[in-house]
Amino acid sequence: MSAEQNYRTGLIKKSVGQTLALLLILGAMLFLSAGTLQYWEAWAYLAILLAANSFMVVYLILIRNDPELLARRLRLKEKEPEQKLIQTFSFIVCVVVFLLPGLNKRYGWSSVPSAVVVAADMIVVLGLGLFWLAVRENRWASHIIEVEQDQQVITTGPYALVRHPMYSAALL
């Protein structure tokens, strides 16, 4: 196996590992806080995330042939103290955001009609689609804030409409 094939295989393994870890952690937060596995809304959400992550890896490795972009997407640790603080705050908010639906399921605080849940899932798909468009347009897209040599300001695709389409996608 060539060095390039080893590199790609390593990226795929790391991506699969991060995806599985994410799904396990989110699943644990959702199902443990709900106190049940009979929680179709959580299963649907996790399936959407799995499909989106799988598509991204296939697209970046097999279709776009851009393993460097996948490598940038897999880097998670910020170097700047201010950015580390923002990551920590974001992590805490995310934990609360993923615990609340399960607690709502467990204690019946509210009742959300299935049609609203499906509509919300479609908004999640829309957000993931916008995220994919941003990554497709910007080969410098990274989880962490970094500027690389020869990096260009992107002004096409979703970047023509909004300066930070990934943040907009995350809000959806």
Side-chain angles (χ1 to χ4, degrees):
M1 190 179 289
S2 73
E4 177 68 21
Q5 288 172 322
N6 281 337
Y7 179 66
R8 288 172 181 260
T9 300
L11 284 176
I12 292 169
K13 286 179 180 178
K14 185 175 182 180
S15 179
V16 168
Q18 283 186 6
T19 298
L20 291 177
L22 173 70
L23 292 174
L24 286 172
I25 291 167
L26 293 180
M29 286 194 296
L30 290 166
F31 294 117
L32 290 174
S33 63
T36 182
L37 291 174
Q38 295 180 344
Y39 186 13
W40 72 267
E41 298 92 339
W43 287 111
Y45 182 76
L46 293 174
I48 290 168
L49 289 182
L50 177 62
N53 277 309
S54 300
F55 174 78
M56 187 68 71
V57 172
V58 168
Y59 173 76
L60 291 178
I61 291 293
L62 299 179
I63 298 170
R64 184 163 174 169
N65 192 25
D66 196 347
E68 291 77 25
L69 176 52
L70 180 58
R72 273 192 287 284
R73 296 291 316 144
L74 294 174
R75 289 195 297 255
L76 301 175
K77 293 187 179 178
E78 284 286 355
K79 297 173 185 131
E80 301 295 324
E82 297 85 7
Q83 294 303 322
K84 288 180 182 181
L85 183 63
I86 291 170
Q87 268 190 339
T88 301
F89 176 75
S90 298
F91 175 77
I92 292 167
V93 169
C94 283
V95 167
V96 170
V97 164
F98 282 98
L99 288 176
L100 281 176
L103 293 171
N104 181 56
K105 172 78 172 169
R106 176 180 283 204
Y107 297 112
W109 295 331
S110 67
S111 177
V112 180
S114 296
V116 173
V117 174
V118 171
D121 283 341
M122 292 304 103
I123 292 171
V124 169
V125 169
L126 181 66
L128 290 167
L130 177 59
F131 178 83
W132 177 77
L133 288 173
V135 170
R136 187 187 73 178
E137 199 68 28
N138 181 4
R139 73 174 313 266
W140 304 103
S142 175
H143 274 288
I144 60 175
I145 297 174
E146 57 188 348
V147 178
E148 296 189 29
Q149 192 170 351
D150 300 327
Q151 185 173 347
Q152 303 283 323
V153 173
I154 308 299
T155 58
T156 56
Y159 290 89
L161 303 173
V162 61
R163 181 72 258 142
H164 299 291
M166 283 191 203
Y167 295 148
S168 301
L171 287 174
L172 287 174

